[in-house]
PDB file of all heavy atoms in Angstrom:
ATOM      1  N   SER A  89     -80.571  47.823  23.423  1.00 84.00           N
ATOM      2  CA  SER A  89     -81.559  47.764  22.356  1.00 84.00           C
ATOM      3  C   SER A  89     -82.011  49.156  21.930  1.00 84.00           C
ATOM      4  O   SER A  89     -82.251  50.023  22.835  1.00 84.00           O
ATOM      5  CB  SER A  89     -82.772  46.957  22.829  1.00 84.00           C
ATOM      6  OG  SER A  89     -83.798  46.966  21.900  1.00 84.00           O
ATOM      7  N   VAL A  90     -82.182  49.372  20.680  1.00 82.00           N
ATOM      8  CA  VAL A  90     -82.759  50.701  20.229  1.00 82.00           C
ATOM      9  C   VAL A  90     -84.121  50.443  19.597  1.00 82.00           C
ATOM     10  O   VAL A  90     -84.188  49.673  18.602  1.00 82.00           O
ATOM     11  CB  VAL A  90     -81.727  51.319  19.213  1.00 82.00           C
ATOM     12  CG1 VAL A  90     -82.317  52.682  18.704  1.00 82.00           C
ATOM     13  CG2 VAL A  90     -80.383  51.558  19.833  1.00 82.00           C
ATOM     14  N   ARG A  91     -85.164  51.000  20.227  1.00 77.00           N
ATOM     15  CA  ARG A  91     -86.484  50.792  19.734  1.00 77.00           C
ATOM     16  C   ARG A  91     -87.265  52.160  19.765  1.00 77.00           C
ATOM     17  O   ARG A  91     -87.161  52.851  20.781  1.00 77.00           O
ATOM     18  CB  ARG A  91     -87.295  49.832  20.583  1.00 77.00           C
ATOM     19  CG  ARG A  91     -86.615  48.511  20.646  1.00 77.00           C
ATOM     20  CD  ARG A  91     -87.518  47.408  20.397  1.00 77.00           C
ATOM     21  NE  ARG A  91     -86.928  46.119  20.612  1.00 77.00           N
ATOM     22  CZ  ARG A  91     -86.659  45.242  19.683  1.00 77.00           C
ATOM     23  NH1 ARG A  91     -86.957  45.502  18.478  1.00 77.00           N
ATOM     24  NH2 ARG A  91     -86.069  44.129  19.915  1.00 77.00           N
ATOM     25  N   GLN A  92     -87.905  52.494  18.696  1.00 75.00           N
ATOM     26  CA  GLN A  92     -88.780  53.683  18.624  1.00 75.00           C
ATOM     27  C   GLN A  92     -87.994  54.899  19.123  1.00 75.00           C
ATOM     28  O   GLN A  92     -88.560  55.751  19.816  1.00 75.00           O
ATOM     29  CB  GLN A  92     -90.030  53.491  19.422  1.00 75.00           C
ATOM     30  CG  GLN A  92     -90.848  52.327  18.942  1.00 75.00           C
ATOM     31  CD  GLN A  92     -91.980  51.925  19.870  1.00 75.00           C
ATOM     32  OE1 GLN A  92     -92.113  52.471  20.997  1.00 75.00           O
ATOM     33  NE2 GLN A  92     -92.773  50.933  19.459  1.00 75.00           N
ATOM     34  N   GLY A  93     -86.702  55.058  18.713  1.00 80.00           N
ATOM     35  CA  GLY A  93     -85.979  56.197  19.105  1.00 80.00           C
ATOM     36  C   GLY A  93     -85.389  56.231  20.494  1.00 80.00           C
ATOM     37  O   GLY A  93     -84.709  57.137  20.918  1.00 80.00           O
ATOM     38  N   LYS A  94     -85.680  55.183  21.278  1.00 82.00           N
ATOM     39  CA  LYS A  94     -85.220  55.109  22.662  1.00 82.00           C
ATOM     40  C   LYS A  94     -84.141  54.013  22.736  1.00 82.00           C
ATOM     41  O   LYS A  94     -84.208  52.993  22.043  1.00 82.00           O
ATOM     42  CB  LYS A  94     -86.302  54.749  23.620  1.00 82.00           C
ATOM     43  CG  LYS A  94     -87.384  55.849  23.791  1.00 82.00           C
ATOM     44  CD  LYS A  94     -88.363  55.393  24.826  1.00 82.00           C
ATOM     45  CE  LYS A  94     -89.422  56.463  24.982  1.00 82.00           C
ATOM     46  NZ  LYS A  94     -90.459  55.959  25.947  1.00 82.00           N
ATOM     47  N   THR A  95     -83.172  54.221  23.606  1.00 87.00           N
ATOM     48  CA  THR A  95     -82.146  53.218  23.897  1.00 87.00           C
ATOM     49  C   THR A  95     -82.414  52.589  25.227  1.00 87.00           C
ATOM     50  O   THR A  95     -82.579  53.307  26.234  1.00 87.00           O
ATOM     51  CB  THR A  95     -80.756  53.853  23.906  1.00 87.00           C
ATOM     52  OG1 THR A  95     -80.569  54.513  22.656  1.00 87.00           O
ATOM     53  CG2 THR A  95     -79.636  52.844  24.119  1.00 87.00           C
ATOM     54  N   PHE A  96     -82.491  51.245  25.272  1.00 88.00           N
ATOM     55  CA  PHE A  96     -82.712  50.506  26.488  1.00 88.00           C
ATOM     56  C   PHE A  96     -81.438  49.637  26.753  1.00 88.00           C
ATOM     57  O   PHE A  96     -80.894  49.043  25.865  1.00 88.00           O
ATOM     58  CB  PHE A  96     -83.885  49.561  26.356  1.00 88.00           C
ATOM     59  CG  PHE A  96     -85.152  50.306  26.105  1.00 88.00           C
ATOM     60  CD1 PHE A  96     -85.617  50.498  24.753  1.00 88.00           C
ATOM     61  CD2 PHE A  96     -85.931  50.775  27.116  1.00 88.00           C
ATOM     62  CE1 PHE A  96     -86.786  51.157  24.553  1.00 88.00           C
ATOM     63  CE2 PHE A  96     -87.135  51.402  26.910  1.00 88.00           C
ATOM     64  CZ  PHE A  96     -87.588  51.604  25.575  1.00 88.00           C
ATOM     65  N   VAL A  97     -81.004  49.663  27.999  1.00 91.00           N
ATOM     66  CA  VAL A  97     -79.822  48.901  28.425  1.00 91.00           C
ATOM     67  C   VAL A  97     -80.199  48.030  29.625  1.00 91.00           C
ATOM     68  O   VAL A  97     -80.803  48.544  30.553  1.00 91.00           O
ATOM     69  CB  VAL A  97     -78.598  49.799  28.787  1.00 91.00           C
ATOM     70  CG1 VAL A  97     -77.437  49.002  29.305  1.00 91.00           C
ATOM     71  CG2 VAL A  97     -78.257  50.750  27.657  1.00 91.00           C
ATOM     72  N   ALA A  98     -79.901  46.745  29.523  1.00 91.00           N
ATOM     73  CA  ALA A  98     -80.156  45.819  30.596  1.00 91.00           C
ATOM     74  C   ALA A  98     -78.866  45.127  30.958  1.00 91.00           C
ATOM     75  O   ALA A  98     -78.209  44.627  30.032  1.00 91.00           O
ATOM     76  CB  ALA A  98     -81.243  44.823  30.199  1.00 91.00           C
ATOM     77  N   THR A  99     -78.556  45.039  32.235  1.00 94.00           N
ATOM     78  CA  THR A  99     -77.311  44.350  32.669  1.00 94.00           C
ATOM     79  C   THR A  99     -77.739  43.317  33.708  1.00 94.00           C
ATOM     80  O   THR A  99     -78.739  43.523  34.443  1.00 94.00           O
ATOM     81  CB  THR A  99     -76.307  45.309  33.274  1.00 94.00           C
ATOM     82  OG1 THR A  99     -76.836  46.001  34.402  1.00 94.00           O
ATOM     83  CG2 THR A  99     -75.826  46.316  32.286  1.00 94.00           C
ATOM     84  N   GLY A 100     -76.947  42.284  33.809  1.00 95.00           N
ATOM     85  CA  GLY A 100     -77.212  41.257  34.821  1.00 95.00           C
ATOM     86  C   GLY A 100     -76.030  40.316  34.952  1.00 95.00           C
ATOM     87  O   GLY A 100     -75.121  40.336  34.102  1.00 95.00           O
ATOM     88  N   GLU A 101     -76.024  39.489  35.972  1.00 95.00           N
ATOM     89  CA  GLU A 101     -74.918  38.568  36.171  1.00 95.00           C
ATOM     90  C   GLU A 101     -75.018  37.362  35.193  1.00 95.00           C
ATOM     91  O   GLU A 101     -73.978  36.860  34.749  1.00 95.00           O
ATOM     92  CB  GLU A 101     -74.999  37.999  37.635  1.00 95.00           C
ATOM     93  CG  GLU A 101     -74.701  39.063  38.673  1.00 95.00           C
ATOM     94  CD  GLU A 101     -74.910  38.590  40.088  1.00 95.00           C
ATOM     95  OE1 GLU A 101     -75.186  37.422  40.288  1.00 95.00           O
ATOM     96  OE2 GLU A 101     -74.789  39.428  40.994  1.00 95.00           O
ATOM     97  N   GLU A 102     -76.241  36.984  34.842  1.00 94.00           N
ATOM     98  CA  GLU A 102     -76.341  35.804  33.945  1.00 94.00           C
ATOM     99  C   GLU A 102     -77.640  35.970  33.082  1.00 94.00           C
ATOM    100  O   GLU A 102     -78.627  36.509  33.521  1.00 94.00           O
ATOM    101  CB  GLU A 102     -76.500  34.550  34.738  1.00 94.00           C
ATOM    102  CG  GLU A 102     -76.650  33.319  33.924  1.00 94.00           C
ATOM    103  CD  GLU A 102     -76.856  32.031  34.805  1.00 94.00           C
ATOM    104  OE1 GLU A 102     -76.277  32.049  35.999  1.00 94.00           O
ATOM    105  OE2 GLU A 102     -77.460  31.066  34.326  1.00 94.00           O
ATOM    106  N   ALA A 103     -77.552  35.504  31.823  1.00 92.00           N
ATOM    107  CA  ALA A 103     -78.685  35.498  30.942  1.00 92.00           C
ATOM    108  C   ALA A 103     -78.700  34.194  30.171  1.00 92.00           C
ATOM    109  O   ALA A 103     -77.670  33.656  29.844  1.00 92.00           O
ATOM    110  CB  ALA A 103     -78.634  36.718  29.957  1.00 92.00           C
ATOM    111  N   ARG A 104     -79.921  33.771  29.853  1.00 90.00           N
ATOM    112  CA  ARG A 104     -80.128  32.588  28.996  1.00 90.00           C
ATOM    113  C   ARG A 104     -80.939  32.937  27.800  1.00 90.00           C
ATOM    114  O   ARG A 104     -82.005  33.623  27.992  1.00 90.00           O
ATOM    115  CB  ARG A 104     -80.740  31.447  29.810  1.00 90.00           C
ATOM    116  CG  ARG A 104     -79.900  30.866  30.888  1.00 90.00           C
ATOM    117  CD  ARG A 104     -80.523  29.623  31.514  1.00 90.00           C
ATOM    118  NE  ARG A 104     -79.671  29.082  32.491  1.00 90.00           N
ATOM    119  CZ  ARG A 104     -78.829  28.073  32.295  1.00 90.00           C
ATOM    120  NH1 ARG A 104     -78.710  27.562  31.132  1.00 90.00           N
ATOM    121  NH2 ARG A 104     -78.115  27.623  33.312  1.00 90.00           N
ATOM    122  N   ALA A 105     -80.516  32.576  26.673  1.00 84.00           N
ATOM    123  CA  ALA A 105     -81.220  32.813  25.411  1.00 84.00           C
ATOM    124  C   ALA A 105     -81.692  31.475  24.864  1.00 84.00           C
ATOM    125  O   ALA A 105     -80.900  30.550  24.801  1.00 84.00           O
ATOM    126  CB  ALA A 105     -80.408  33.519  24.394  1.00 84.00           C
ATOM    127  N   GLY A 106     -82.913  31.434  24.406  1.00 75.00           N
ATOM    128  CA  GLY A 106     -83.437  30.175  23.819  1.00 75.00           C
ATOM    129  C   GLY A 106     -82.849  29.880  22.472  1.00 75.00           C
ATOM    130  O   GLY A 106     -81.961  30.582  21.989  1.00 75.00           O
TER     131      GLY A 106
END
Side-chain angles (χ1 to χ4, degrees):
S89 175
V90 178
R91 303 228 187 247
Q92 301 169 353
K94 292 182 184 177
T95 302
F96 299 92
V97 178
T99 59
E101 293 173 6
E102 180 180 334
R104 291 188 180 265

